[in-house]
Short mmCIF file of all heavy atoms in Angstrom, two decimals:
data_model
loop_
_atom_site.label_atom_id
_atom_site.label_comp_id
_atom_site.label_asym_id
_atom_site.label_seq_id
_atom_site.Cartn_x
_atom_site.Cartn_y
_atom_site.Cartn_z
N MET A 1 -49.77 -14.57 40.39
CA MET A 1 -51.03 -15.04 39.79
C MET A 1 -51.59 -13.97 38.82
O MET A 1 -51.39 -12.77 39.01
CB MET A 1 -52.06 -15.30 40.89
CG MET A 1 -53.17 -16.14 40.36
SD MET A 1 -54.12 -17.11 41.54
CE MET A 1 -53.40 -17.00 43.12
N LEU A 2 -52.19 -14.44 37.76
CA LEU A 2 -52.72 -13.54 36.76
C LEU A 2 -54.00 -12.87 37.25
O LEU A 2 -54.74 -13.40 38.05
CB LEU A 2 -53.04 -14.30 35.48
CG LEU A 2 -51.86 -14.89 34.68
CD1 LEU A 2 -52.36 -15.84 33.61
CD2 LEU A 2 -51.09 -13.74 34.05
N ARG A 3 -54.21 -11.66 36.75
CA ARG A 3 -55.44 -10.89 37.08
C ARG A 3 -56.34 -10.81 35.85
O ARG A 3 -55.87 -10.69 34.74
CB ARG A 3 -55.03 -9.46 37.45
CG ARG A 3 -54.69 -9.27 38.92
CD ARG A 3 -54.30 -7.82 39.11
NE ARG A 3 -53.75 -7.65 40.46
CZ ARG A 3 -54.56 -7.53 41.53
NH1 ARG A 3 -55.83 -7.53 41.41
NH2 ARG A 3 -54.00 -7.42 42.74
N CYS A 4 -57.61 -10.80 36.09
CA CYS A 4 -58.59 -10.58 35.04
C CYS A 4 -58.45 -9.15 34.49
O CYS A 4 -58.42 -8.18 35.27
CB CYS A 4 -60.01 -10.80 35.59
SG CYS A 4 -61.27 -10.46 34.34
N ASP A 5 -58.39 -9.06 33.15
CA ASP A 5 -58.22 -7.71 32.53
C ASP A 5 -59.49 -6.85 32.70
O ASP A 5 -59.42 -5.65 32.49
CB ASP A 5 -57.88 -7.87 31.04
CG ASP A 5 -56.44 -8.31 30.83
OD1 ASP A 5 -55.63 -8.04 31.72
OD2 ASP A 5 -56.17 -8.90 29.78
N VAL A 6 -60.58 -7.46 32.98
CA VAL A 6 -61.85 -6.71 33.08
C VAL A 6 -62.13 -6.30 34.54
O VAL A 6 -62.28 -5.11 34.86
CB VAL A 6 -63.05 -7.52 32.53
CG1 VAL A 6 -64.38 -6.76 32.76
CG2 VAL A 6 -62.86 -7.68 31.01
N CYS A 7 -62.17 -7.26 35.42
CA CYS A 7 -62.60 -6.97 36.80
C CYS A 7 -61.49 -6.98 37.83
O CYS A 7 -61.68 -6.58 38.97
CB CYS A 7 -63.71 -7.96 37.24
SG CYS A 7 -63.14 -9.63 37.44
N GLY A 8 -60.29 -7.46 37.40
CA GLY A 8 -59.12 -7.36 38.32
C GLY A 8 -59.03 -8.58 39.27
O GLY A 8 -58.12 -8.64 40.10
N ASN A 9 -59.96 -9.52 39.16
CA ASN A 9 -59.96 -10.67 40.06
C ASN A 9 -58.75 -11.57 39.76
O ASN A 9 -58.33 -11.74 38.66
CB ASN A 9 -61.25 -11.48 39.81
CG ASN A 9 -61.43 -12.63 40.83
OD1 ASN A 9 -60.98 -12.53 41.93
ND2 ASN A 9 -62.05 -13.69 40.35
N GLU A 10 -58.17 -12.08 40.85
CA GLU A 10 -57.10 -13.07 40.72
C GLU A 10 -57.71 -14.45 40.86
O GLU A 10 -58.54 -14.69 41.73
CB GLU A 10 -56.05 -12.86 41.82
CG GLU A 10 -55.19 -11.64 41.59
CD GLU A 10 -54.13 -11.50 42.65
OE1 GLU A 10 -54.12 -12.32 43.64
OE2 GLU A 10 -53.27 -10.61 42.50
N TYR A 11 -57.26 -15.37 40.01
CA TYR A 11 -57.89 -16.69 39.98
C TYR A 11 -56.84 -17.67 39.46
O TYR A 11 -55.99 -17.31 38.65
CB TYR A 11 -59.08 -16.64 39.01
CG TYR A 11 -60.00 -17.83 38.97
CD1 TYR A 11 -60.41 -18.45 40.14
CD2 TYR A 11 -60.46 -18.30 37.74
CE1 TYR A 11 -61.27 -19.54 40.08
CE2 TYR A 11 -61.36 -19.38 37.70
CZ TYR A 11 -61.73 -19.97 38.86
OH TYR A 11 -62.60 -21.07 38.80
N ASP A 12 -56.92 -18.94 39.92
CA ASP A 12 -55.88 -19.87 39.57
C ASP A 12 -56.27 -20.65 38.28
O ASP A 12 -55.52 -21.49 37.79
CB ASP A 12 -55.63 -20.88 40.67
CG ASP A 12 -56.81 -21.67 41.09
OD1 ASP A 12 -57.92 -21.41 40.54
OD2 ASP A 12 -56.68 -22.58 41.91
N LYS A 13 -57.43 -20.40 37.73
CA LYS A 13 -57.79 -21.07 36.46
C LYS A 13 -58.19 -20.03 35.38
O LYS A 13 -59.30 -20.01 34.87
CB LYS A 13 -59.00 -22.00 36.70
CG LYS A 13 -58.69 -23.11 37.70
CD LYS A 13 -59.92 -24.00 37.90
CE LYS A 13 -59.63 -25.01 38.99
NZ LYS A 13 -59.56 -24.38 40.34
N MET A 14 -57.27 -19.18 35.14
CA MET A 14 -57.56 -18.05 34.22
C MET A 14 -57.67 -18.51 32.77
O MET A 14 -57.08 -19.48 32.35
CB MET A 14 -56.40 -16.98 34.28
CG MET A 14 -56.25 -16.36 35.64
SD MET A 14 -57.65 -15.34 36.11
CE MET A 14 -57.30 -13.90 35.12
N LEU A 15 -58.44 -17.76 32.01
CA LEU A 15 -58.56 -17.95 30.59
C LEU A 15 -57.62 -16.99 29.92
O LEU A 15 -57.57 -15.83 30.29
CB LEU A 15 -59.99 -17.64 30.09
CG LEU A 15 -61.15 -18.38 30.73
CD1 LEU A 15 -62.45 -17.74 30.37
CD2 LEU A 15 -61.14 -19.85 30.32
N VAL A 16 -56.82 -17.45 29.00
CA VAL A 16 -55.95 -16.57 28.21
C VAL A 16 -56.44 -16.65 26.77
O VAL A 16 -56.49 -17.72 26.20
CB VAL A 16 -54.49 -16.99 28.31
CG1 VAL A 16 -53.62 -16.03 27.46
CG2 VAL A 16 -54.02 -16.97 29.75
N ILE A 17 -56.84 -15.52 26.23
CA ILE A 17 -57.40 -15.51 24.88
C ILE A 17 -56.53 -14.64 23.97
O ILE A 17 -56.21 -13.51 24.28
CB ILE A 17 -58.87 -15.00 24.90
CG1 ILE A 17 -59.70 -15.97 25.75
CG2 ILE A 17 -59.43 -14.86 23.47
CD1 ILE A 17 -61.18 -15.62 25.81
N LEU A 18 -56.18 -15.20 22.82
CA LEU A 18 -55.40 -14.50 21.84
C LEU A 18 -56.32 -14.11 20.69
O LEU A 18 -57.08 -14.93 20.16
CB LEU A 18 -54.28 -15.38 21.27
CG LEU A 18 -53.31 -15.90 22.30
CD1 LEU A 18 -52.35 -16.89 21.67
CD2 LEU A 18 -52.52 -14.80 22.93
N GLN A 19 -56.27 -12.87 20.26
CA GLN A 19 -57.06 -12.42 19.09
C GLN A 19 -56.13 -11.52 18.29
O GLN A 19 -55.86 -10.42 18.67
CB GLN A 19 -58.29 -11.63 19.58
CG GLN A 19 -59.19 -11.23 18.42
CD GLN A 19 -60.39 -10.43 18.93
OE1 GLN A 19 -60.21 -9.44 19.64
NE2 GLN A 19 -61.59 -10.85 18.61
N GLY A 20 -55.60 -12.05 17.17
CA GLY A 20 -54.57 -11.33 16.44
C GLY A 20 -53.36 -11.10 17.33
O GLY A 20 -52.81 -12.04 17.92
N ASP A 21 -52.94 -9.84 17.48
CA ASP A 21 -51.79 -9.55 18.31
C ASP A 21 -52.21 -9.28 19.78
O ASP A 21 -51.36 -9.00 20.62
CB ASP A 21 -51.06 -8.26 17.80
CG ASP A 21 -50.46 -8.52 16.46
OD1 ASP A 21 -50.12 -9.68 16.16
OD2 ASP A 21 -50.28 -7.56 15.67
N ARG A 22 -53.50 -9.33 20.03
CA ARG A 22 -53.99 -9.03 21.35
C ARG A 22 -54.00 -10.24 22.25
O ARG A 22 -54.47 -11.30 21.85
CB ARG A 22 -55.43 -8.46 21.23
CG ARG A 22 -55.85 -7.53 22.32
CD ARG A 22 -56.92 -6.55 21.76
NE ARG A 22 -58.16 -7.21 21.38
CZ ARG A 22 -59.35 -6.87 21.88
NH1 ARG A 22 -59.45 -5.87 22.74
NH2 ARG A 22 -60.46 -7.50 21.47
N ARG A 23 -53.47 -10.15 23.46
CA ARG A 23 -53.47 -11.25 24.39
C ARG A 23 -54.11 -10.75 25.69
O ARG A 23 -53.63 -9.79 26.30
CB ARG A 23 -52.03 -11.68 24.68
CG ARG A 23 -51.88 -12.84 25.68
CD ARG A 23 -50.42 -13.13 25.93
NE ARG A 23 -50.20 -14.28 26.73
CZ ARG A 23 -50.27 -14.30 28.06
NH1 ARG A 23 -50.56 -13.21 28.72
NH2 ARG A 23 -50.06 -15.42 28.73
N MET A 24 -55.24 -11.38 26.08
CA MET A 24 -55.90 -10.91 27.29
C MET A 24 -56.16 -12.10 28.23
O MET A 24 -56.27 -13.26 27.80
CB MET A 24 -57.25 -10.26 26.86
CG MET A 24 -57.03 -9.03 25.96
SD MET A 24 -58.54 -8.09 25.71
CE MET A 24 -58.68 -7.19 27.25
N THR A 25 -56.27 -11.78 29.50
CA THR A 25 -56.52 -12.81 30.49
C THR A 25 -57.82 -12.48 31.23
O THR A 25 -58.10 -11.33 31.54
CB THR A 25 -55.38 -12.92 31.49
OG1 THR A 25 -55.09 -11.64 32.05
CG2 THR A 25 -54.11 -13.45 30.82
N PHE A 26 -58.62 -13.54 31.53
CA PHE A 26 -59.88 -13.33 32.18
C PHE A 26 -60.14 -14.42 33.19
O PHE A 26 -59.60 -15.50 33.11
CB PHE A 26 -61.03 -13.40 31.16
CG PHE A 26 -60.89 -12.48 29.98
CD1 PHE A 26 -60.40 -12.94 28.76
CD2 PHE A 26 -61.13 -11.14 30.14
CE1 PHE A 26 -60.27 -12.06 27.70
CE2 PHE A 26 -60.97 -10.24 29.07
CZ PHE A 26 -60.57 -10.73 27.83
N ASP A 27 -60.95 -14.09 34.20
CA ASP A 27 -61.31 -15.09 35.23
C ASP A 27 -62.60 -15.82 34.87
O ASP A 27 -62.97 -16.80 35.49
CB ASP A 27 -61.49 -14.44 36.61
CG ASP A 27 -62.60 -13.41 36.62
OD1 ASP A 27 -62.99 -12.93 35.55
OD2 ASP A 27 -63.08 -13.08 37.73
N SER A 28 -63.26 -15.34 33.80
CA SER A 28 -64.52 -15.97 33.40
C SER A 28 -64.85 -15.66 31.96
O SER A 28 -64.35 -14.69 31.42
CB SER A 28 -65.66 -15.47 34.28
OG SER A 28 -65.85 -14.07 34.03
N PHE A 29 -65.73 -16.45 31.38
CA PHE A 29 -66.17 -16.20 30.01
C PHE A 29 -66.95 -14.89 29.99
O PHE A 29 -66.98 -14.17 29.03
CB PHE A 29 -66.99 -17.34 29.45
CG PHE A 29 -66.15 -18.51 28.98
CD1 PHE A 29 -66.11 -19.68 29.72
CD2 PHE A 29 -65.38 -18.39 27.83
CE1 PHE A 29 -65.36 -20.73 29.29
CE2 PHE A 29 -64.58 -19.44 27.43
CZ PHE A 29 -64.55 -20.63 28.14
N GLU A 30 -67.66 -14.67 31.07
CA GLU A 30 -68.44 -13.42 31.13
C GLU A 30 -67.58 -12.20 30.95
O GLU A 30 -67.89 -11.28 30.20
CB GLU A 30 -69.15 -13.36 32.49
CG GLU A 30 -70.20 -12.30 32.54
CD GLU A 30 -71.06 -12.38 33.82
OE1 GLU A 30 -70.78 -13.27 34.63
OE2 GLU A 30 -71.97 -11.59 33.97
N CYS A 31 -66.45 -12.17 31.63
CA CYS A 31 -65.51 -11.04 31.50
C CYS A 31 -64.90 -10.98 30.11
O CYS A 31 -64.71 -9.98 29.51
CB CYS A 31 -64.42 -11.11 32.54
SG CYS A 31 -65.01 -10.63 34.20
N ALA A 32 -64.59 -12.20 29.55
CA ALA A 32 -64.04 -12.27 28.19
C ALA A 32 -65.00 -11.72 27.15
O ALA A 32 -64.59 -10.97 26.28
CB ALA A 32 -63.66 -13.74 27.88
N ILE A 33 -66.29 -12.08 27.33
CA ILE A 33 -67.31 -11.57 26.41
C ILE A 33 -67.39 -10.06 26.52
O ILE A 33 -67.48 -9.32 25.54
CB ILE A 33 -68.63 -12.26 26.68
CG1 ILE A 33 -68.60 -13.70 26.21
CG2 ILE A 33 -69.79 -11.48 26.00
CD1 ILE A 33 -69.75 -14.56 26.72
N GLU A 34 -67.40 -9.56 27.75
CA GLU A 34 -67.48 -8.13 28.00
C GLU A 34 -66.35 -7.40 27.25
O GLU A 34 -66.55 -6.37 26.63
CB GLU A 34 -67.44 -7.87 29.49
CG GLU A 34 -67.42 -6.43 29.88
CD GLU A 34 -68.67 -5.68 29.46
OE1 GLU A 34 -69.76 -6.32 29.37
OE2 GLU A 34 -68.63 -4.46 29.17
N ALA A 35 -65.16 -7.94 27.31
CA ALA A 35 -63.96 -7.26 26.74
C ALA A 35 -63.83 -7.48 25.26
O ALA A 35 -63.39 -6.55 24.57
CB ALA A 35 -62.71 -7.70 27.48
N MET A 36 -64.19 -8.67 24.76
CA MET A 36 -63.81 -9.01 23.39
C MET A 36 -64.94 -9.23 22.40
O MET A 36 -64.73 -9.12 21.22
CB MET A 36 -62.95 -10.25 23.44
CG MET A 36 -61.71 -10.09 24.31
SD MET A 36 -60.58 -11.49 24.20
CE MET A 36 -59.55 -11.01 22.81
N ALA A 37 -66.16 -9.51 22.85
CA ALA A 37 -67.21 -9.79 21.91
C ALA A 37 -67.64 -8.50 21.22
O ALA A 37 -67.81 -7.46 21.91
CB ALA A 37 -68.38 -10.46 22.59
N PRO A 38 -67.81 -8.54 19.89
CA PRO A 38 -68.27 -7.31 19.23
C PRO A 38 -69.74 -7.05 19.54
O PRO A 38 -70.43 -7.93 20.05
CB PRO A 38 -68.11 -7.66 17.74
CG PRO A 38 -68.18 -9.15 17.69
CD PRO A 38 -67.59 -9.65 18.99
N ARG A 39 -70.19 -5.84 19.27
CA ARG A 39 -71.61 -5.51 19.41
C ARG A 39 -72.25 -5.42 18.08
O ARG A 39 -71.63 -4.97 17.12
CB ARG A 39 -71.78 -4.18 20.13
CG ARG A 39 -71.53 -4.28 21.60
CD ARG A 39 -71.95 -2.99 22.33
NE ARG A 39 -71.62 -3.06 23.76
CZ ARG A 39 -72.46 -3.58 24.65
NH1 ARG A 39 -73.61 -4.08 24.30
NH2 ARG A 39 -72.12 -3.58 25.93
N CYS A 40 -73.49 -5.80 17.99
CA CYS A 40 -74.26 -5.69 16.76
C CYS A 40 -74.32 -4.25 16.34
O CYS A 40 -74.66 -3.38 17.16
CB CYS A 40 -75.67 -6.25 16.96
SG CYS A 40 -76.77 -6.01 15.55
N ALA A 41 -73.99 -4.00 15.08
CA ALA A 41 -73.98 -2.61 14.57
C ALA A 41 -75.36 -1.99 14.49
O ALA A 41 -75.53 -0.79 14.40
CB ALA A 41 -73.29 -2.56 13.24
N GLN A 42 -76.38 -2.85 14.54
CA GLN A 42 -77.78 -2.35 14.45
C GLN A 42 -78.42 -2.19 15.80
O GLN A 42 -78.91 -1.12 16.12
CB GLN A 42 -78.58 -3.29 13.53
CG GLN A 42 -80.06 -2.95 13.40
CD GLN A 42 -80.28 -1.63 12.64
OE1 GLN A 42 -79.39 -1.16 11.98
NE2 GLN A 42 -81.47 -1.05 12.82
N CYS A 43 -78.44 -3.23 16.60
CA CYS A 43 -79.22 -3.16 17.86
C CYS A 43 -78.32 -3.03 19.11
O CYS A 43 -78.81 -2.71 20.19
CB CYS A 43 -80.12 -4.38 18.01
SG CYS A 43 -79.24 -5.91 18.40
N GLY A 44 -77.05 -3.26 18.92
CA GLY A 44 -76.11 -3.01 20.04
C GLY A 44 -75.92 -4.16 21.01
O GLY A 44 -75.20 -4.06 21.97
N CYS A 45 -76.60 -5.30 20.76
CA CYS A 45 -76.43 -6.45 21.67
C CYS A 45 -75.10 -7.15 21.42
O CYS A 45 -74.48 -6.95 20.38
CB CYS A 45 -77.57 -7.43 21.56
SG CYS A 45 -77.55 -8.50 20.14
N ARG A 46 -74.64 -7.93 22.37
CA ARG A 46 -73.37 -8.66 22.26
C ARG A 46 -73.52 -9.78 21.21
O ARG A 46 -74.50 -10.48 21.20
CB ARG A 46 -72.96 -9.27 23.53
CG ARG A 46 -72.47 -8.28 24.59
CD ARG A 46 -71.08 -7.85 24.22
NE ARG A 46 -70.60 -6.91 25.22
CZ ARG A 46 -69.59 -6.08 24.99
NH1 ARG A 46 -69.00 -6.06 23.82
NH2 ARG A 46 -69.18 -5.27 25.94
N VAL A 47 -72.51 -9.86 20.34
CA VAL A 47 -72.53 -10.96 19.39
C VAL A 47 -71.54 -12.03 19.90
O VAL A 47 -70.34 -11.85 19.87
CB VAL A 47 -72.05 -10.48 17.97
CG1 VAL A 47 -72.08 -11.67 17.01
CG2 VAL A 47 -72.99 -9.38 17.48
N ILE A 48 -72.08 -13.10 20.47
CA ILE A 48 -71.23 -14.12 21.04
C ILE A 48 -71.31 -15.45 20.25
O ILE A 48 -70.62 -16.41 20.57
CB ILE A 48 -71.58 -14.41 22.53
CG1 ILE A 48 -73.02 -14.81 22.69
CG2 ILE A 48 -71.25 -13.17 23.34
CD1 ILE A 48 -73.39 -15.16 24.12
N GLY A 49 -72.11 -15.46 19.22
CA GLY A 49 -72.11 -16.59 18.30
C GLY A 49 -71.29 -16.18 17.09
O GLY A 49 -70.41 -15.33 17.18
N HIS A 50 -71.61 -16.76 15.94
CA HIS A 50 -70.91 -16.39 14.74
C HIS A 50 -71.32 -14.99 14.22
O HIS A 50 -70.52 -14.30 13.65
CB HIS A 50 -71.14 -17.43 13.63
CG HIS A 50 -70.46 -18.72 13.89
ND1 HIS A 50 -71.10 -19.82 14.45
CD2 HIS A 50 -69.18 -19.07 13.73
CE1 HIS A 50 -70.20 -20.79 14.59
NE2 HIS A 50 -69.03 -20.39 14.17
N GLY A 51 -72.57 -14.67 14.46
CA GLY A 51 -73.05 -13.37 13.96
C GLY A 51 -73.07 -13.37 12.44
O GLY A 51 -72.84 -14.37 11.81
N ILE A 52 -73.34 -12.21 11.92
CA ILE A 52 -73.38 -12.04 10.48
C ILE A 52 -72.52 -10.86 10.07
O ILE A 52 -72.68 -9.79 10.63
CB ILE A 52 -74.79 -11.85 9.96
CG1 ILE A 52 -75.57 -13.14 10.15
CG2 ILE A 52 -74.83 -11.39 8.51
CD1 ILE A 52 -76.99 -13.12 9.66
N GLU A 53 -71.57 -11.09 9.15
CA GLU A 53 -70.76 -9.97 8.70
C GLU A 53 -71.31 -9.48 7.35
O GLU A 53 -71.47 -10.28 6.44
CB GLU A 53 -69.30 -10.40 8.51
CG GLU A 53 -68.54 -10.42 9.77
CD GLU A 53 -67.04 -10.66 9.56
OE1 GLU A 53 -66.45 -9.87 8.82
OE2 GLU A 53 -66.50 -11.65 10.13
N ALA A 54 -71.65 -8.19 7.29
CA ALA A 54 -72.13 -7.60 6.05
C ALA A 54 -71.69 -6.17 6.00
O ALA A 54 -71.68 -5.47 7.05
CB ALA A 54 -73.64 -7.74 5.98
N GLN A 55 -71.31 -5.69 4.89
CA GLN A 55 -70.94 -4.28 4.69
C GLN A 55 -69.85 -3.90 5.72
O GLN A 55 -69.87 -2.78 6.30
CB GLN A 55 -72.14 -3.35 4.87
CG GLN A 55 -73.29 -3.71 3.88
CD GLN A 55 -74.57 -2.96 4.21
OE1 GLN A 55 -74.92 -2.81 5.35
NE2 GLN A 55 -75.29 -2.56 3.18
N ASP A 56 -68.91 -4.79 6.04
CA ASP A 56 -67.82 -4.54 6.94
C ASP A 56 -68.30 -4.28 8.37
O ASP A 56 -67.56 -3.74 9.19
CB ASP A 56 -66.96 -3.36 6.46
CG ASP A 56 -66.19 -3.73 5.23
OD1 ASP A 56 -65.83 -4.85 5.04
OD2 ASP A 56 -65.99 -2.78 4.41
N GLN A 57 -69.54 -4.67 8.68
CA GLN A 57 -70.05 -4.55 10.03
C GLN A 57 -70.40 -5.94 10.51
O GLN A 57 -70.55 -6.89 9.72
CB GLN A 57 -71.30 -3.64 10.07
CG GLN A 57 -71.07 -2.28 9.55
CD GLN A 57 -70.43 -1.37 10.57
OE1 GLN A 57 -70.38 -1.63 11.75
NE2 GLN A 57 -69.87 -0.27 10.09
N ILE A 58 -70.56 -6.07 11.83
CA ILE A 58 -71.00 -7.35 12.42
C ILE A 58 -72.40 -7.16 13.01
O ILE A 58 -72.63 -6.19 13.70
CB ILE A 58 -70.02 -7.84 13.47
CG1 ILE A 58 -68.65 -8.12 12.82
CG2 ILE A 58 -70.59 -9.05 14.20
CD1 ILE A 58 -67.58 -8.55 13.78
N TYR A 59 -73.29 -8.09 12.66
CA TYR A 59 -74.66 -8.06 13.16
C TYR A 59 -74.98 -9.32 13.92
O TYR A 59 -74.39 -10.38 13.62
CB TYR A 59 -75.66 -7.85 12.02
CG TYR A 59 -75.37 -6.60 11.24
CD1 TYR A 59 -74.63 -6.64 10.07
CD2 TYR A 59 -75.87 -5.37 11.66
CE1 TYR A 59 -74.38 -5.48 9.35
CE2 TYR A 59 -75.59 -4.17 10.96
CZ TYR A 59 -74.86 -4.27 9.80
OH TYR A 59 -74.59 -3.13 9.09
N CYS A 60 -75.92 -9.21 14.84
CA CYS A 60 -76.26 -10.43 15.63
C CYS A 60 -77.08 -11.40 14.85
O CYS A 60 -77.10 -12.60 15.11
CB CYS A 60 -76.98 -10.02 16.93
SG CYS A 60 -78.59 -9.25 16.63
N CYS A 61 -77.85 -10.91 13.85
CA CYS A 61 -78.72 -11.79 13.10
C CYS A 61 -79.04 -11.15 11.76
O CYS A 61 -78.75 -9.97 11.53
CB CYS A 61 -80.06 -12.01 13.88
SG CYS A 61 -80.99 -10.47 14.14
N ALA A 62 -79.63 -11.96 10.87
CA ALA A 62 -79.94 -11.49 9.49
C ALA A 62 -80.92 -10.31 9.52
O ALA A 62 -80.87 -9.38 8.75
CB ALA A 62 -80.48 -12.59 8.66
N HIS A 63 -81.87 -10.38 10.51
CA HIS A 63 -82.85 -9.28 10.63
C HIS A 63 -82.12 -7.96 10.82
O HIS A 63 -82.48 -6.95 10.16
CB HIS A 63 -83.78 -9.56 11.81
CG HIS A 63 -84.73 -8.44 12.08
ND1 HIS A 63 -85.83 -8.23 11.29
CD2 HIS A 63 -84.73 -7.46 13.01
CE1 HIS A 63 -86.48 -7.15 11.74
NE2 HIS A 63 -85.84 -6.69 12.79
N CYS A 64 -81.16 -7.91 11.76
CA CYS A 64 -80.47 -6.66 11.99
C CYS A 64 -79.64 -6.25 10.75
O CYS A 64 -79.61 -5.07 10.41
CB CYS A 64 -79.58 -6.82 13.21
SG CYS A 64 -80.40 -6.55 14.77
N ALA A 65 -79.08 -7.19 10.09
CA ALA A 65 -78.29 -6.87 8.88
C ALA A 65 -79.21 -6.28 7.81
O ALA A 65 -78.85 -5.32 7.14
CB ALA A 65 -77.59 -8.14 8.36
N GLN A 66 -80.42 -6.82 7.69
CA GLN A 66 -81.35 -6.31 6.67
C GLN A 66 -81.83 -4.91 7.07
O GLN A 66 -82.00 -4.04 6.23
CB GLN A 66 -82.56 -7.26 6.55
CG GLN A 66 -82.22 -8.53 5.80
CD GLN A 66 -83.25 -9.63 6.00
OE1 GLN A 66 -84.26 -9.42 6.70
NE2 GLN A 66 -83.02 -10.79 5.39
N GLN A 67 -82.07 -4.75 8.38
CA GLN A 67 -82.50 -3.41 8.82
C GLN A 67 -81.48 -2.36 8.49
O GLN A 67 -81.77 -1.22 8.25
CB GLN A 67 -82.71 -3.44 10.36
CG GLN A 67 -83.87 -4.26 10.85
CD GLN A 67 -85.19 -3.59 10.62
OE1 GLN A 67 -85.38 -2.47 11.05
NE2 GLN A 67 -86.09 -4.29 9.92
N ALA A 68 -80.21 -2.76 8.51
CA ALA A 68 -79.12 -1.87 8.26
C ALA A 68 -78.85 -1.69 6.74
O ALA A 68 -77.94 -0.97 6.33
CB ALA A 68 -77.86 -2.31 8.94
N GLY A 69 -79.60 -2.43 5.94
CA GLY A 69 -79.54 -2.26 4.50
C GLY A 69 -78.75 -3.34 3.77
O GLY A 69 -78.57 -3.26 2.56
N ALA A 70 -78.30 -4.37 4.47
CA ALA A 70 -77.60 -5.46 3.82
C ALA A 70 -78.62 -6.33 3.04
O ALA A 70 -79.71 -6.59 3.57
CB ALA A 70 -76.82 -6.30 4.80
N SER A 71 -78.24 -6.81 1.90
CA SER A 71 -79.14 -7.68 1.15
C SER A 71 -78.50 -9.06 1.03
O SER A 71 -77.31 -9.20 1.17
CB SER A 71 -79.45 -7.10 -0.23
OG SER A 71 -78.27 -6.89 -0.95
N GLY A 72 -79.37 -10.05 0.75
CA GLY A 72 -78.83 -11.38 0.55
C GLY A 72 -78.48 -12.12 1.81
O GLY A 72 -77.74 -13.13 1.75
N VAL A 73 -78.90 -11.64 2.96
CA VAL A 73 -78.66 -12.40 4.21
C VAL A 73 -79.98 -12.89 4.76
O VAL A 73 -81.03 -12.20 4.67
CB VAL A 73 -77.94 -11.51 5.28
CG1 VAL A 73 -76.53 -11.19 4.84
CG2 VAL A 73 -78.72 -10.23 5.53
N ARG A 74 -79.96 -14.04 5.30
CA ARG A 74 -81.21 -14.59 5.87
C ARG A 74 -80.83 -15.56 6.98
O ARG A 74 -79.75 -16.17 6.99
CB ARG A 74 -82.03 -15.27 4.82
CG ARG A 74 -81.27 -16.40 4.05
CD ARG A 74 -82.16 -17.10 3.08
NE ARG A 74 -82.63 -16.17 2.03
CZ ARG A 74 -83.37 -16.57 0.97
NH1 ARG A 74 -83.75 -17.84 0.88
NH2 ARG A 74 -83.73 -15.73 0.05
N ASP A 75 -81.74 -15.68 7.97
CA ASP A 75 -81.53 -16.58 9.11
C ASP A 75 -81.82 -18.01 8.76
O ASP A 75 -81.22 -18.95 9.31
CB ASP A 75 -82.36 -16.16 10.30
CG ASP A 75 -81.74 -14.99 11.04
OD1 ASP A 75 -80.48 -14.93 11.12
OD2 ASP A 75 -82.48 -14.14 11.50
N ARG A 76 -82.81 -18.21 7.88
CA ARG A 76 -83.26 -19.58 7.56
C ARG A 76 -83.23 -19.84 6.10
O ARG A 76 -83.43 -18.91 5.30
CB ARG A 76 -84.68 -19.77 8.01
CG ARG A 76 -84.96 -19.54 9.44
CD ARG A 76 -86.45 -19.44 9.65
NE ARG A 76 -86.74 -19.10 11.01
CZ ARG A 76 -87.10 -19.96 11.94
NH1 ARG A 76 -87.26 -21.24 11.62
NH2 ARG A 76 -87.32 -19.56 13.16
N ALA A 77 -83.04 -21.06 5.75
CA ALA A 77 -83.17 -21.45 4.35
C ALA A 77 -84.64 -21.33 3.95
O ALA A 77 -85.53 -21.66 4.77
CB ALA A 77 -82.69 -22.86 4.10
N ALA A 78 -84.94 -20.91 2.75
CA ALA A 78 -86.37 -20.75 2.32
C ALA A 78 -87.00 -22.10 2.16
O ALA A 78 -86.31 -23.08 1.81
CB ALA A 78 -86.43 -19.92 1.10
ZN1 ZN B 1 -63.23 -10.84 35.55
ZN1 ZN B 2 -78.77 -6.98 16.32
#
């Protein structure tokens, strides 16, 4: 049986996630997020949605991207 790469739990309904050349197995989305979700370059929270990519960094929202000096990003249409 496969083991979770984060917590080591064995489970019969494992998630297997491929990201580029990386292949990881998890017992839950929570563990998958812990291992694979990027962190906002400004506030450090987990980015589990699409996030915003600016200046080669990933941010959780346009506010954080702007705080970091990115221009031309916004959360809402004007
Ligand atoms: Zn786990
Ligand atoms: Zn943020």
Side-chain angles (χ1 to χ4, degrees):
M1 197 157 353
L2 291 168
R3 274 177 188 280
C4 175
D5 285 335
V6 173
C7 68
N9 186 32
E10 287 183 353
Y11 188 45
D12 62 354
K13 300 179 185 69
M14 297 294 282
L15 304 167
V16 178
I17 298 182
L18 302 173
Q19 185 182 53
D21 293 334
R22 208 151 65 124
R23 179 184 187 278
M24 300 188 77
T25 53
F26 305 103
D27 64 339
S28 65
F29 281 108
E30 191 170 3
C31 284
I33 288 167
E34 176 62 30
M36 303 187 88
R39 284 189 183 274
C40 174
Q42 176 67 18
C43 73
C45 76
R46 287 285 182 200
V47 180
I48 56 176
H50 288 99
I52 291 182
E53 281 189 55
Q55 302 170 323
D56 293 327
Q57 301 281 342
I58 295 176
Y59 301 96
C60 65
C61 62
H63 174 78
C64 277
Q66 286 165 1
Q67 291 285 306
S71 57
V73 291
R74 57 177 62 177
D75 280 325
R76 301 166 186 260

